[in-house]
Amino acid sequence: MQEGRELFLVGCSFCHGQNGEGINSDDGQYGPSLVGVGGAAADFQLTTGRMPMQTPGQQAPSKTPVYSQDEIAALTAYISSLGAGPDVPTAAQYDIDKYGLSADERRQAVVDGGQLFLTNCTACHNFDGSGGAMPWGKYAPSLKSTSKKNLYQAMLTGPQQMPVFSDEVLTSKDKASIIAYLDSIGEEPQHGGFGLGGLGPVSEGMFAWLFGIGGLVGFAYWIAAHSTRSTKTKSSEGTQA
C-alpha cells in the first residue's frame, strides 16, 4: 500500500489531489475524484496507458503503459483503498470458457452476446468494433486489440464518455458473452472482400473517388498521351508559283 501511495503522489496527485479527492480550477476540472472508483477503473486506465495523461485533451488516448505490472498492481491497491468500488475482474468473470458451458451453450452465448453488442454498443463502436467518431472531438476506440479483461473493465466502469454497464444492467455472463462475440467476429474472414476497415459508406465513398475515379482519369490521360497523332510535313520540293 505504501508503494502505491508513493507512486500516486509522484505521478497522479497533481491532477487528482493528494488524497485522490480531485482538483477543480477556474478553467475546469484537472482530474476527477478517485474516491470510490474501485480497482477495476484504476487497472483499466493504467494498463491501457490512458493514465497518466501526457497533456490535457478531449480524450485520453490508449498508449504504451508508463508503469510496470507490479507498479500498476500497487497503484490499483492504493486507489481501491480510497473507497469501495468495482474490483479488478478475474478470468472466471470475463472469459466465457470459464463458465463450464457445453458446445451448444457456448454457441448460444456468443449469439446472445452479439445481440447485446448490436443493441448497446454499435452506435459508438461500429457493428464490428472498429470504433468511430463522436461529438465534441471525441471518439469511440477500436475494440479489436483490447484484452478481454479491459473490455470487461470498460463495461463495468464506463471510462470517459462510455456509459456504465454494472452487473445489475448486464450480468457477468452477459459481459463475457459480448467479449466472446467480439472474439468470434475477429476470427471471421472477410467474405465480401476488402473490408475497408468496416467503417461504412464514408470509407467506401473515399475509396471510390480516390482509386476508382482517379484510376479512370489516369487511364484516360494515358490513352490520350499514347494515341496516334497526325503530323504535317513540309514538301521537300516546295511549291512553284
Side-chain angles (χ1 to χ4, degrees), residues 12-82:
C12 312
S13 61
F14 179 80
C15 294
H16 294 288
Q18 295 287 316
N19 299 295
E21 72 277 11
I23 294 180
N24 295 312
S25 71
D26 294 336
D27 298 328
Q29 190 178 60
Y30 281 130
S33 170
L34 300 181
V35 177
V37 300
D43 186 79
F44 174 83
Q45 297 290 346
L46 294 168
T47 55
T48 59
R50 288 179 166 85
M51 292 292 154
M53 292 181 71
Q54 293 176 333
T55 57
Q58 292 282 15
Q59 185 165 335
S62 176
K63 60 183 185 298
T64 302
V66 173
Y67 298 105
S68 68
Q69 287 299 316
D70 289 341
E71 290 172 330
I72 289 173
L75 272 167
T76 298
Y78 172 70
I79 293 170
S80 295
S81 72
L82 299 178

Side-chain angles (χ1 to χ4, degrees), residues 170-212:
L170 290 176
T171 65
S172 293
K173 186 180 177 183
D174 288 337
K175 295 185 184 72
S177 296
I178 292 173
I179 295 167
Y181 167 73
L182 289 171
D183 272 353
S184 71
I185 62 175
E187 297 167 359
E188 285 290 319
Q190 295 286 349
H191 296 291
F194 186 39
L196 301 177
L199 298 179
V202 174
S203 61
E204 293 166 4
M206 289 187 65
F207 183 87
W209 275 99
L210 294 177
F211 294 95

Side-chain angles (χ1 to χ4, degrees), residues 27-234:
D27 298 328
Q29 190 178 60
Y30 281 130
S33 170
L34 300 181
V35 177
V37 300
D43 186 79
F44 174 83
Q45 297 290 346
L46 294 168
T47 55
T48 59
R50 288 179 166 85
M51 292 292 154
M53 292 181 71
Q54 293 176 333
T55 57
Q58 292 282 15
Q59 185 165 335
S62 176
K63 60 183 185 298
T64 302
V66 173
Y67 298 105
S68 68
Q69 287 299 316
D70 289 341
E71 290 172 330
I72 289 173
L75 272 167
T76 298
Y78 172 70
I79 293 170
S80 295
S81 72
L82 299 178
D87 293 326
V88 177
T90 64
Q93 293 172 279
Y94 57 73
D95 191 342
I96 198 66
D97 293 326
K98 304 293 185 183
Y99 281 77
L101 305 178
S102 66
D104 288 340
E105 289 173 333
R106 191 188 188 285
R107 281 192 291 270
Q108 186 59 49
V110 172
V111 172
D112 293 341
Q115 291 299 318
L116 289 168
F117 183 83
L118 294 173
T119 301
N120 297 286
C121 313
T122 53
C124 298
H125 289 288
N126 210 309
F127 72 96
D128 66 344
S130 299
M134 298 185 69
W136 307 107
K138 298 181 180 181
Y139 61 91
S142 171
L143 306 177
K144 294 186 176 181
S145 60
T146 307
S147 70
K148 292 181 180 181
K149 183 176 78 167
N150 282 334
L151 286 170
Y152 190 100
Q153 289 181 144
M155 287 185 277
L156 187 63
T157 62
Q160 298 175 114
Q161 66 268 16
M162 182 172 170
V164 175
F165 295 97
S166 65
D167 288 340
E168 287 73 27
V169 177
L170 290 176
T171 65
S172 293
K173 186 180 177 183
D174 288 337
K175 295 185 184 72
S177 296
I178 292 173
I179 295 167
Y181 167 73
L182 289 171
D183 272 353
S184 71
I185 62 175
E187 297 167 359
E188 285 290 319
Q190 295 286 349
H191 296 291
F194 186 39
L196 301 177
L199 298 179
V202 174
S203 61
E204 293 166 4
M206 289 187 65
F207 183 87
W209 275 99
L210 294 177
F211 294 95
I213 296 177
L216 290 173
V217 171
F219 185 62
Y221 179 82
W222 181 85
I223 291 175
H226 290 79
S227 61
T228 304
R229 297 180 180 178
S230 60
T231 58
K232 290 185 178 181
T233 58
K234 213 180 221 188

